[in-house]
Amino acid sequence: MTRESGHAGTRRLIVLSGPTAVGKGTVEAAMKARHPQVWVSVSATTRASRPGEKDGVDYLFVSDNEFNAMKERGEFLENAVVHGMAQYGTPLQPVLDHLAAGVPTLLEIDLQGARRVRQRAAELGLDVLSVFLAPPSFDDLVTRLTTRGTETGEQKRARLETARVELAAQDEFDVVLVNDQVETTAERLWELIVREYGLN
Ligand code: 5GP
């Protein structure tokens, strides 16, 4: 498929996804700390902020009404209900703007979101590199889920069930990164970005 020059699709959008609690956020933060030239999309969410999280930095914390209004206005690249708990969505325009400016652009979203981005890629003229972050083993993932400590027992069970389904999805992705050690995985993610964006 050919595309018009100057289209946002000339640079590949990196979509980092994977099972719950595999450490997507931690790997993304480690990579971003070392390589601040990468722009990571700030999602809107209807969940409550956790201690230390900043509105507009970690997430755009919005009400259900605000979220639904954004959705109706077509402002999301993708949106999903995650763990049956809260709505999350990626604002589209900032993603297009950063890609158009040639800035390495990364989404850290759940599997439903990654699928939706792939579905919409052609319509939006986006090139997508989808990266699945896998745990070293399922047992490792279970340990991570049960030591995270921010969820109730019922939430943990829901997340574990989600993880079983999500682990089976890795074949849908362009690249699988095994998150054995955060700093090493973050560097491997950076190397993918360097390759895609032709950075030195
Ligand atoms: P948390 O609430 O723990 O920060 O994130 C819960 C899950 O929501 C994680 O798997 C994270 O990747 C996912 N997530 C965060 N932002 C978005 C988004 O904009 N869209 C989708 N589909 N998932 C998201």
Side-chain angles (χ1 to χ4, degrees):
M1 187 172 69
T2 55
R3 296 199 179 95
E4 294 159 38
S5 63
H7 199 280
T10 53
R11 299 292 177 133
R12 246 175 159 186
L13 172 62
I14 315 288
V15 177
L16 179 67
S17 194
T20 302
V22 73
K24 298 189 288 291
T26 313
V27 167
E28 170 249 295
M31 190 275 299
K32 172 110 189 159
R34 284 163 169 246
H35 307 289
Q37 59 270 59
V38 178
W39 180 75
V40 180
S41 165
V42 180
S43 297
T45 182
T46 59
R47 81 151 163 78
S49 62
R50 297 186 184 126
E53 286 184 329
K54 289 196 181 69
D55 189 24
V57 177
D58 299 288
Y59 282 103
L60 303 166
F61 293 102
V62 297
S63 66
D64 265 310
N65 281 346
E66 285 172 284
F67 193 98
N68 292 337
M70 291 173 81
K71 204 159 77 177
E72 275 163 33
R73 292 195 298 265
E75 290 178 13
F76 290 126
L77 167 54
E78 61 72 37
N79 62 274
V81 175
V82 179
H83 313 309
M85 301 284 176
Q87 303 198 77
Y88 293 78
T90 305
L92 174 60
Q93 197 56 50
V95 170
L96 296 180
D97 291 346
H98 284 86
L99 286 172
V103 178
T105 300
L106 183 134
L107 311 183
E108 184 256 287
I109 58 178
D110 85 328
L111 187 64
Q112 310 166 75
R115 285 196 180 118
R116 186 77 184 122
V117 171
R118 274 198 301 261
Q119 283 167 2
R120 293 198 67 195
E123 166 208 336
L124 293 167
L126 294 173
D127 258 342
V128 174
L129 180 78
S130 60
V131 182
F132 186 94
L133 195 61
S137 66
F138 190 79
D139 286 351
D140 177 87
L141 188 62
V142 172
T143 307
R144 287 170 196 250
L145 272 164
T146 49
T147 54
R148 189 161 158 167
T150 51
E151 294 92 19
T152 64
E154 192 190 327
Q155 284 171 331
K156 276 181 193 160
R157 275 190 294 279
R159 287 187 165 213
L160 193 57
E161 186 48 36
T162 304
R164 282 185 206 284
V165 175
E166 288 185 345
L167 259 185
Q170 53 186 288
D171 293 349
E172 296 169 23
F173 284 73
D174 298 319
V175 179
V176 175
L177 284 184
V178 177
N179 187 19
D180 37 21
Q181 207 273 328
V182 173
E183 293 298 328
T184 317
T185 311
E187 271 316 295
R188 279 187 276 144
L189 177 60
W190 168 246
E191 281 160 21
L192 286 175
I193 295 170
V194 168
R195 201 180 67 200
E196 291 300 329
Y197 283 81
L199 308 170
N200 308 308

